[in-house]
Amino acid sequence: METINDYLFKYKNYIFSIGFASPEILDSLQSFEIRESDVFLATYPKSGTIWTQQIIISICESAGDLFEYQNNHEKMPWLEHRENREDYPVRPSPRLFTTHLRPAFMPPGVKDKKAKIIYVTRNPKDAVVSAFHFSQICDRLETPKSFEHYLENYLEGNVSGSSWFDHIRRWHSVGDQYNILFLSYEDMIGDLKTAVTKICTFLGKNLSEEDVEKVVEKSTFKNMKEDPKANYKNSLKKGDFMRKGQISDWKNYFTVAQSERVDRLLQERIGDLSLKFVWE
Ligand code: A3P
């Protein structure tokens, strides 16, 4: 383990926030027993994680699954989180987990295509703007000097979550080994009902049209902003996870040169994956 600064440490070539995960926990995941009914949500930070958590939990609850906990972060906890993990091995099924990890850290059992994984991406320009704001309100992260400075660190991969490009590449290259559904933040903004229906099908949850509509309703930006069980408001001393919830806020921050640089990096680093990004 290498300590990078007061906020970040590196382990196995991946950067974590100090206080969030630990090398011992990351190592212990290699012997974490998977159940066929396990569901994992994997994302690079600020890609719509808490939004997708709300969708998955609402679908499962509509289908009759019961969770003993009040809040989404307890119902669908972080796989790598240091706190409150004692009951992970004994939770009733289906167990729902959230993670920002790369595939190499995942419990090996997921390779047998036993568990289900949903991987959500967001276009990197909006993701970095969201992360820039989040770094200003989250105690665990260093307050950025400026957007320009933050973008530089982000593109170098010197932030919690390491390189956005690596995360996307690594998850997309395990698509044939894992039972995985790829979705994007922009898909969900464009047509939330279709995204909810895709997730229902993937999870094997047969909801009525009316129940799908209810899940959509519970997962709108407006409703989540007012729902303390879903919006993590209580985990922040100031600010809000629910900031703007839009595509194209990057246009308010990027210079033309910065935008072109990201376009070039996309081509160089993950151009071969043929992913399509929605920018507005
Ligand atoms: P912005 O900062 O651009 O507003 P994560 O959960 O991975 O940390 O991602 C947080 C981002 O998802 C924030 O983006 C937040 O506003 C957005 N988000 C959360 N819930 C949403 C919803 N129901 N609809 C649209 N965006 C949502």
Side-chain angles (χ1 to χ4, degrees):
M1 173 178 143
E2 177 197 341
T3 303
I4 296 179
N5 58 28
D6 289 349
Y7 299 89
L8 302 174
F9 73 92
K10 193 185 250 186
Y11 187 61
K12 296 192 172 164
N13 219 15
Y14 190 70
I15 299 180
F16 297 88
S17 295
I18 290 176
F20 191 65
S22 72
E24 293 71 33
I25 288 170
L26 296 165
D27 287 346
S28 75
L29 295 178
Q30 293 308 305
S31 51
F32 188 81
E33 291 216 13
I34 293 297
R35 298 182 203 153
E36 287 201 18
S37 53
D38 288 343
V39 177
F40 294 87
L41 165 65
T43 59
Y44 186 81
K46 312 319 291 176
S47 301
T49 322
I50 72 165
W51 187 11
T52 319
Q53 276 184 327
Q54 170 78 343
I55 296 171
I56 295 171
I57 292 166
S58 304
I59 290 173
C60 290
E61 288 180 336
S62 278
D65 296 329
L66 296 175
F67 302 99
E68 296 168 24
Y69 305 90
Q70 282 295 308
N71 300 310
N72 285 1
H73 69 87
E74 299 158 324
K75 292 178 184 175
M76 191 160 187
W78 256 262
L79 185 62
E80 62 270 35
H81 205 305
R82 285 162 68 141
E83 285 159 21
N84 306 325
R85 50 185 306 111
E86 302 73 29
D87 76 334
Y88 289 6
V90 295
R91 283 190 168 219
S93 299
R95 294 184 304 184
L96 309 179
F97 293 107
T98 309
T99 186
H100 287 322
L101 294 175
R102 283 177 180 163
F105 288 104
M106 292 295 283
V110 296
K111 280 197 192 129
D112 303 335
K113 300 201 175 186
K114 277 193 182 139
K116 295 191 165 90
I117 302 177
I118 297 176
Y119 185 74
V120 180
T121 49
R122 184 177 193 185
N123 87 52
K125 296 178 191 174
D126 281 326
V128 66
V129 167
S130 181
F132 168 67
H133 283 281
F134 192 64
S135 301
Q136 297 172 37
I137 59 169
C138 179
D139 290 344
R140 276 187 284 106
L141 300 171
E142 187 171 17
T143 304
K145 291 190 183 78
S146 63
F147 179 70
E148 190 183 5
H149 190 258
Y150 189 77
L151 179 66
E152 201 56 44
N153 276 332
Y154 194 88
L155 296 179
E156 295 282 330
N158 292 330
V159 291
S160 180
S162 290
S163 159
W164 178 91
F165 301 97
D166 280 355
H167 209 273
I168 302 296
R169 165 168 295 289
R170 286 168 197 244
W171 275 101
H172 279 84
S173 45
V174 292
D176 53 348
Q177 297 166 45
Y178 293 8
N179 186 7
I180 185 162
L181 172 70
F182 291 99
L183 282 178
S184 76
Y185 180 94
E186 293 78 18
D187 287 340
M188 301 193 323
I189 289 273
D191 185 350
L192 185 52
K193 188 173 171 192
T194 298
V196 169
T197 307
K198 268 191 199 162
I199 297 176
C200 283
T201 307
F202 181 69
L203 298 181
K205 307 287 188 191
N206 203 358
L207 298 194
S208 66
E209 182 77 13
E210 197 188 341
D211 283 341
V212 169
E213 290 291 356
K214 280 189 196 150
V215 172
V216 169
E217 196 51 27
K218 278 189 192 168
S219 312
T220 60
F221 186 86
K222 184 174 167 292
N223 286 343
M224 278 184 63
K225 204 169 165 69
E226 287 159 13
D227 181 355
K229 292 185 181 132
N231 63 25
Y232 282 61
K233 185 116 180 112
N234 298 335
S235 69
L236 295 171
K237 290 200 183 110
K238 55 176 179 171
D240 208 328
F241 265 77
M242 311 295 300
R243 192 183 61 93
K244 280 200 171 171
Q246 294 167 1
I247 308 175
S248 87
D249 194 30
W250 63 272
K251 292 188 172 178
N252 297 316
Y253 294 84
F254 275 67
T255 62
V256 172
Q258 286 168 337
S259 173
E260 286 176 355
R261 178 163 168 221
V262 173
D263 294 341
R264 269 196 312 278
L265 284 170
L266 275 169
Q267 198 46 44
E268 284 165 25
R269 303 280 303 273
I270 58 165
D272 57 316
L273 297 179
S274 303
L275 301 173
K276 294 265 172 287
F277 291 99
V278 174
W279 302 108
E280 50 194 284

